Amino acid sequence: MSKALALVVVLFFVLFCGKCYGELRVGFYKGKCGVTNVEGVVQNVVETWHFEKKEKDIAAALLRMQFHDCFVKGCDASILLDGLTSEKEATPNKSVRGYKLIDAIKEALEAECQGLVSCADIISMATRDAVFLAGGKWYDVETGRRDGNVSLASNVNLPAATISVSDSIKLFASKNLTQYDMVYLLGGHTVGIARCSLFKDRIYNFNKTGGPDPSMSPWLLAELKDKCPRISLIFDNTYPLDVKTPSLVDNSYFQEIKKGNGVLQIDQQIALDELTKNIVDDIVNDPDFYTKFGEAMVKLGRVDVLIDGQGEVRKSCRDVNKKPFIFGGLN
Ligand code: HEM
């Protein structure tokens, strides 16, 4: 290749591919669905569901869905596939919500442009829209993901609330995410709820001591004792992860964990552990938390994606396009 040609190629990439990551890019669907603005269709459905309150706290539902999708076989919408032994049947996914909203978005998109928009991209676009509606900052999402066609509950190895900070850092690093990304992403706990059974040990029998976790503030301890009785045979109550503004995407989660008001063990620990406490301190005083949260979400959306000719674009987010002939079910 002549030097001049090489220069032209380099210039092309600098000018036109400034926002590319692999094959993912901002605006992948632009101009691919006639005059229809694909991202606008997604946004319309999310707004309708948000304002008509068709599902509670959509931002919480979708943030968790995106995390659980991307951390198991990458952001390939494998979490959406139905099946007796598919990912959604694994214990940590039983309380994931938002599947019907994704169906509604897929239906609206298929009506405009059949077979164009992947379910994996729908998750990341819809999550961004829901975060924005819940008070977060708008961020550009990269698109161009394709959908996977394997979904097995046995692949689901998501972290428990009791994971240590150092193990969590290792886990995120295995997905090309730094400890900064990890702390910002845990900021997803600025919305939503957790079931008492997942943190009850912290109230009544922390590390088998017969007493509470000493890092918990007296206020939170009293609150949790009230809402999560030691013995509750029928109901598993819930408590907000951000004790102050549970429906808003803001940095109050970080302010609260600094005060000992982290509900899950990992939430409290990132504010105390030497490996992450400085990051938490910085975020508490950072007016630009919102931008950085968006940036971390974009990085989450890059985890082990299928691109180009890999995978497929599903017709229904709940089912693969062609079922292999396997006795006993597909997934
Ligand atoms: C070490 C990492 C993480 C651990 C151990 C963890 C653990 C948990 C647990 C135990 C719950 C409560 C589930 C239930 O009650 O059934 C939860 C809820 C939630 N998580 Fe995480 N999480 C982690 C990272 C993340 C990340 C990275 C995000 C998003 C960016 C996220 C978003 C959420 C949201 C929004 C909820 C509330 C869901 C709802 O209200 O339906 N989590 N998480």
Side-chain angles (χ1 to χ4, degrees):
M1 196 191 299
S2 76
K3 269 189 186 160
L5 186 58
L7 191 68
V8 170
V9 172
V10 170
L11 266 176
F12 177 85
F13 274 98
V14 171
L15 286 174
F16 297 107
C17 210
K19 284 185 165 182
C20 291
Y21 183 85
E23 293 298 313
L24 293 184
R25 63 173 186 270
V26 174
F28 177 85
Y29 295 108
K30 224 175 190 172
K32 291 200 168 115
C33 186
V35 290
T36 302
N37 170 2
V38 163
E39 297 203 18
V41 172
V42 178
Q43 200 182 345
N44 273 342
V45 180
V46 175
E47 275 180 9
T48 306
W49 279 57
H50 173 83
F51 290 115
E52 291 180 6
K53 297 202 182 333
K54 289 192 182 184
E55 163 102 48
K56 212 171 164 265
D57 283 329
I58 288 175
L62 295 182
L63 277 165
R64 185 155 183 248
M65 178 188 280
Q66 184 169 352
F67 171 53
H68 284 211
D69 182 40
C70 294
F71 265 49
V72 180
K73 285 191 85 266
C75 311
D76 67 345
S78 50
I79 193 170
L80 302 180
L81 287 171
D82 282 343
L84 290 176
T85 57
S86 72
E87 285 175 29
K88 54 168 74 152
E89 299 305 322
T91 308
N93 284 339
K94 294 254 187 201
S95 52
V96 169
R97 324 178 270 125
Y99 298 113
K100 286 191 178 146
L101 168 58
I102 300 290
D103 290 340
I105 297 169
K106 180 66 172 168
E107 203 179 303
L109 287 168
E110 288 295 301
E112 295 290 335
C113 277
Q114 261 186 20
L116 177 70
V117 185
S118 70
C119 301
D121 280 343
I122 292 175
I123 294 178
S124 58
M125 291 186 277
T127 304
R128 181 268 316 274
D129 296 339
V131 163
F132 179 65
L133 288 169
K137 193 173 168 184
W138 182 267
Y139 54 91
D140 284 334
V141 283
E142 294 168 336
T143 38
R145 293 171 196 80
R146 295 180 48 97
D147 300 324
N149 47 23
V150 176
S151 179
L152 290 168
S154 55
N155 284 336
V156 177
N157 189 14
L158 288 157
T162 49
I163 190 172
S164 69
V165 172
S166 59
D167 283 350
S168 186
I169 289 175
K170 280 185 210 139
L171 173 67
F172 277 69
S174 73
K175 313 282 179 196
N176 271 333
L177 295 164
T178 66
Q179 62 214 64
Y180 290 86
D181 299 327
M182 181 190 90
V183 174
Y184 275 100
L185 287 171
L186 269 163
H189 289 172
T190 175
V191 281
I193 50 176
R195 285 167 297 145
C196 293
S197 56
L198 297 167
F199 54 82
K200 223 181 217 179
D201 280 7
R202 294 190 70 211
I203 316 172
Y204 301 108
N205 191 16
F206 181 64
N207 284 348
K208 302 200 166 54
T209 54
D213 181 342
S215 67
M216 209 186 287
S217 78
W219 174 82
L220 184 65
L221 181 59
E223 271 283 299
L224 295 183
K225 274 188 171 163
D226 183 43
K227 300 291 173 343
C228 304
R230 187 191 289 263
I231 296 163
S232 51
L233 295 177
I234 303 172
F235 296 112
D236 195 357
N237 290 347
T238 57
Y239 198 79
L241 289 163
D242 174 352
V243 301
K244 205 166 167 202
T245 52
S247 295
L248 280 185
V249 171
D250 58 11
N251 80 350
S252 89
Y253 158 86
F254 291 101
Q255 291 164 12
E256 293 304 316
I257 61 176
K258 285 280 296 167
K259 295 184 212 156
N261 291 337
V263 173
L264 302 179
Q265 189 171 319
I266 183 67
D267 292 332
Q268 194 51 64
Q269 284 309 311
I270 56 166
L272 299 170
D273 197 294
E274 287 300 326
L275 294 167
T276 44
K277 77 191 227 304
N278 292 343
I279 305 174
V280 171
D281 289 348
D282 287 349
I283 297 177
V284 169
N285 299 309
D286 184 2
D288 212 20
F289 156 76
Y290 297 90
T291 305
K292 290 180 186 147
F293 179 66
E295 286 167 1
M297 287 302 296
V298 171
K299 283 188 81 176
L300 175 65
R302 291 174 185 161
V303 173
D304 297 332
V305 288
L306 297 173
I307 43 167
D308 246 355
Q310 299 168 313
E312 60 184 11
V313 172
R314 275 180 226 146
K315 294 191 187 93
S316 153
C317 290
R318 292 177 180 268
D319 209 349
V320 295
N321 292 345
K322 264 194 209 142
K323 293 187 192 178
F325 188 71
I326 301 173
F327 285 109
L330 159 73
N331 299 312

